[in-house]
Amino acid sequence: MGLCLDREGCNFANREKARFCARCGIPLAGTVLLERYEILDLTSQERGSVTLSARDRQQQLQVQVRALIPQGVTVSERDDFLQNAEMAASLSQRMNEPGSIRVLDYGQDGPLAFLVKVEQKRDVWAAPRREQEAQRAWDASHGEEEFGLDIENNDDDETTIVRLSVPKQRSIASPHQSDALPQGHLAYERGEYEEALTYYDQAIEQDVVSIDAWSGKGMALLSLGRLEESLLAYDHAISLNPSEPELWTSRANVLHELRQFDEEMDCYDQALRCDPNYIYAWSGRGMALAEQDKPEEALMAFDKALLLDPRQSVVWQAMSDTLYSLHRYEEALIAVDRAFEIDDSNVSSWDTKGNILRRLGNAAEALPLHEHALELDSENATLWFDKGNDLRDLARYDDALATYDRALEIDHSLAGAWYNRGNVLAAQQKFEDALDSYGHALEFDDGLTSAWYNKGSLLHELQRYEEALVAFDRALAGDIHYIAAWNNKGLSLYALGRFDEALAALDQATSFAPEEPDAWYNKAVVLQKVGRNQEAISCQEWARSLEQQASGSEVS
């Protein structure tokens, strides 16, 4: 059992592997705060607070942790403490005198609000970067389907929000220990999930009501892809402690993999009922909402998480991606810069910032960012794809093709790379090669409407009108309001002498986009061909008036 470090005032015997004392709330020996500061012992106690000796596992440094005693602390007292800690940390950055006390870090972990301090030993101190959560390097794929020459531009992106894992708040036992539970934790951390599962099962045999053993079993089963069994393990853990938000959030991750999204959201809600300030429930909820195409709700969840802890770089990253998907590029840039301030080693941040800069028309600034990302992860197909998009926008077409080819060597099924490769080949007037590239894109994603449209446009240029019609119809099956597809379908029908059908297609184009002059001009040509001259003149005059209105608007 884990005895409370306050031997005189509390001395409560806690359950095995508990992190905080169930009676007074202070951390137990071996607890690692924010996955970084390992608590060693209690050194002093004042009214309402304690000072603990600890080890900074990241910097291999002895530090002191001053914390509020959670029992009886009010929200106002906690907020005042954290505000004072923030000010002290800011002032400490300018203090270099030997013997002075520096505040290195502060924050909240579970029920505990605390700050980390150390005595200044040297003339110059480089404050360590604060990492409040283990960062999973998550590949944010921005599948851009666009090009700006003689083919259709499509600015839709396929941003993927990668799941944020729930941190497991426990210390790691040494390998010589024979107890099954810590051995399971060690095996899990090594990625040996089958072995971990065996140990967790042994731990359950030793203690059938061990919450940590059931939770560990759920983790191992999830990592092995045995989702239904993982869900049952978490259900059992929750039945033993239904008020633990970490368990509900972990259960939500399993439900996400099972694509049971409504139940996943229910779990986040339940976690927040247990603890309205549980950051991982807010961030997980935000990522789930983003994946469900509810970006505005996702942003509100991210805002809440960042209000609780503004040093969560992965949440800033997720917020940036969500703003990017809404085409709010300036705000997305601010968010990703905040992520950079906290952690500039995340490949995804370099990639995202590069994509934002390109969207803002700064492809020349985006290119070195993507090149740096590739230095960190040279086998990432998405990074090569995004670098190719920079080169494409800089009109370095041969370099862009070589870069897309490198992406496809890594991931042959990357539809976006095949598609943009086709766009570059089309820009170089290599129509047959471009068609082949579009064919590969559609092989891997036959719902890529802009690829069907661009394929149809090239087939029209090659006077393969029947094939062009098939491609335009496929584009329209994906988007009935695809104005350019209706327009070009009309042109292909006209070229085949099918004038009534051409007129019907152009009627659709002018109906959906009455402000588009090209469709009216094309409609005038068809009307004149079938002898409806007065209507043709009216369409021409209307098209000219639209152009004049547009020109006047541009001047004003």
Side-chain angles (χ1 to χ4, degrees):
M1 305 296 282
L3 288 176
C4 179
L5 289 175
D6 182 4
R7 299 287 191 263
E8 297 179 2
C10 182
N11 203 36
F12 185 74
N14 294 274
R15 66 180 176 84
E16 185 181 10
K17 294 302 176 183
R19 299 183 66 236
F20 301 95
C21 177
R23 176 179 290 168
C24 69
I26 70 172
L28 305 181
T31 295
V32 182
L33 300 177
L34 302 180
E35 299 189 352
R36 176 170 177 176
Y37 304 107
E38 182 181 359
I39 300 300
L40 302 177
D41 202 359
L42 176 70
T43 58
S44 66
Q45 182 172 351
E46 301 174 10
R47 183 178 179 275
S49 69
V50 292
T51 300
L52 306 131
S53 62
R55 182 172 65 91
D56 182 345
R57 290 164 54 166
Q58 180 177 317
Q59 299 291 324
Q60 297 301 311
L61 178 72
Q62 293 295 118
V63 297
Q64 290 183 315
V65 172
R66 179 170 175 264
L68 291 181
I69 298 174
Q71 183 185 37
V73 69
T74 67
V75 174
S76 177
E77 289 171 338
R78 183 194 63 206
D79 291 344
D80 288 343
F81 176 90
L82 291 173
Q83 287 178 7
N84 292 334
E86 181 179 18
M87 182 179 297
S90 177
L91 292 172
S92 292
Q93 293 179 8
R94 298 189 289 273
M95 294 174 58
N96 298 313
E97 295 82 10
S100 64
I101 301 298
R102 288 180 56 99
V103 174
L104 302 180
D105 204 353
Y106 64 95
Q108 186 170 349
D109 191 337
L112 198 73
F114 68 95
L115 59 79
V116 181
K117 58 185 180 179
V118 69
E119 181 180 349
Q120 179 76 352
K121 300 292 186 183
R122 297 174 288 177
D123 292 336
V124 179
W125 181 272
R129 184 176 68 249
R130 180 174 170 212
E131 297 177 355
Q132 291 190 314
E133 133 182 69
Q135 300 288 326
R136 174 188 291 179
W138 47 290
D139 299 329
S141 172
H142 305 297
E144 302 191 23
E145 304 160 5
E146 55 176 354
F147 200 66
L149 293 172
D150 295 330
I151 49 182
E152 177 72 5
N153 295 329
N154 184 340
D155 292 331
D156 293 337
D157 297 298
E158 299 170 2
T159 304
T160 301
I161 302 289
V162 178
R163 306 300 300 167
L164 176 65
S165 58
V166 182
K168 296 301 165 188
Q169 308 291 351
R170 59 169 181 266
S171 57
I172 302 300
S174 58
H176 61 76
Q177 287 183 268
S178 59
D179 187 77
L181 186 59
Q183 293 292 342
H185 294 338
L186 281 170
Y188 182 86
E189 296 297 335
R190 293 194 303 264
E192 297 169 354
Y193 304 124
E194 291 285 2
E195 181 181 348
L197 183 59
T198 299
Y199 280 122
Y200 289 134
D201 281 335
Q202 291 176 9
I204 290 168
E205 289 179 7
Q206 295 168 7
D207 181 3
V208 75
V209 294
S210 170
I211 297 170
D212 285 346
W214 282 106
S215 176
K217 182 174 182 177
M219 288 191 310
L221 288 165
L222 174 60
S223 298
L224 290 168
R226 293 161 61 178
L227 304 179
E228 297 288 354
E229 295 173 82
S230 175
L231 192 63
L232 289 173
Y234 279 121
D235 284 344
H236 200 101
I238 288 170
S239 72
L240 296 170
N241 186 6
S243 63
E244 174 53 63
E246 179 186 314
L247 296 176
W248 286 106
T249 306
S250 297
R251 185 177 191 269
N253 282 345
V254 182
L255 290 165
H256 181 85
E257 295 301 317
L258 289 167
R259 306 189 65 78
Q260 297 178 24
F261 301 124
D262 289 341
E263 291 184 57
E264 176 190 6
M265 299 306 295
D266 289 341
C267 283
Y268 291 128
D269 291 342
Q270 184 62 48
L272 292 168
R273 279 192 285 271
C274 297
D275 181 359
N277 294 323
Y278 189 58
I279 293 170
Y280 299 105
W282 282 113
S283 56
R285 191 175 195 276
M287 292 179 185
L289 288 165
E291 291 183 29
Q292 293 170 37
D293 197 24
K294 297 177 180 178
E296 298 293 349
E297 294 178 59
L299 290 174
M300 288 190 286
F302 294 143
D303 279 339
K304 180 64 177 178
L306 292 168
L307 280 173
L308 292 168
D309 184 0
R311 299 285 296 176
Q312 297 279 345
S313 66
V314 73
V315 181
W316 283 112
Q317 173 75 50
M319 175 177 276
S320 179
D321 278 298
T322 305
L323 290 164
Y324 182 93
S325 72
L326 292 169
H327 300 181
R328 291 161 59 178
Y329 302 125
E330 296 287 357
E331 295 171 83
L333 187 60
I334 293 171
V336 79
D337 280 340
R338 291 298 300 273
F340 263 111
E341 290 172 9
I342 301 164
D343 182 5
D344 63 359
S345 65
N346 192 337
V347 173
S348 183
S349 296
W350 289 94
D351 183 41
T352 297
K353 185 170 182 178
N355 288 341
I356 294 168
L357 289 170
R358 183 175 64 250
R359 285 292 191 173
L360 291 171
N362 299 323
E365 295 180 38
L367 182 59
L369 298 181
H370 286 132
E371 288 176 336
H372 182 78
L374 283 165
E375 291 175 6
L376 299 174
D377 185 2
S378 62
E379 294 301 308
N380 188 318
T382 297
L383 298 180
W384 285 104
F385 168 65
D386 288 335
K387 179 183 176 181
N389 292 341
D390 297 337
L391 294 164
R392 173 207 62 194
D393 283 10
L394 293 168
R396 293 169 54 182
Y397 298 136
D398 288 338
D399 290 337
L401 287 174
T403 307
Y404 290 137
D405 286 344
R406 180 70 184 96
L408 292 167
E409 286 178 11
I410 299 169
D411 183 358
H412 188 71
S413 66
L414 192 58
W418 283 112
Y419 173 78
N420 279 2
R421 183 178 183 273
N423 291 347
V424 171
L425 289 165
Q428 294 179 317
Q429 305 293 304
K430 299 176 181 178
F431 294 151
E432 294 291 350
D433 290 338
L435 284 173
D436 181 68
S437 202
Y438 289 141
H440 283 294
L442 293 166
E443 175 186 348
F444 297 112
D445 183 0
D446 65 358
L448 200 54
T449 55
S450 52
W452 285 112
Y453 170 79
N454 287 351
K455 180 179 180 180
S457 298
L458 292 190
L459 290 166
H460 180 90
E461 289 295 321
L462 294 169
Q463 300 183 10
R464 293 159 60 179
Y465 302 122
E466 293 285 0
E467 294 174 76
L469 287 175
V470 173
F472 291 136
D473 282 340
R474 288 298 301 268
L476 290 166
D479 181 2
I480 194 64
H481 297 98
Y482 205 145
I483 311 305
W486 282 115
N487 187 69
N488 283 12
K489 179 180 179 179
L491 295 179
S492 290
L493 289 164
Y494 177 83
L496 290 168
R498 295 159 59 177
F499 304 128
D500 289 341
E501 294 174 80
L503 193 57
L506 292 166
D507 281 341
Q508 291 282 12
T510 55
S511 173
F512 289 135
E515 75 290 345
E516 175 53 58
D518 284 348
W520 289 104
Y521 276 124
N522 291 337
K523 186 175 179 180
V525 171
V526 180
L527 287 167
Q528 187 176 34
K529 185 69 175 181
V530 297
R532 295 161 61 178
N533 295 329
Q534 189 58 49
E535 292 175 77
I537 292 171
S538 296
C539 286
Q540 286 179 331
E541 290 176 347
W542 180 245
R544 290 193 192 100
S545 71
L546 289 171
E547 288 182 331
Q548 290 170 358
Q549 292 172 27
S551 177
S553 298
E554 290 172 4
V555 171
S556 62

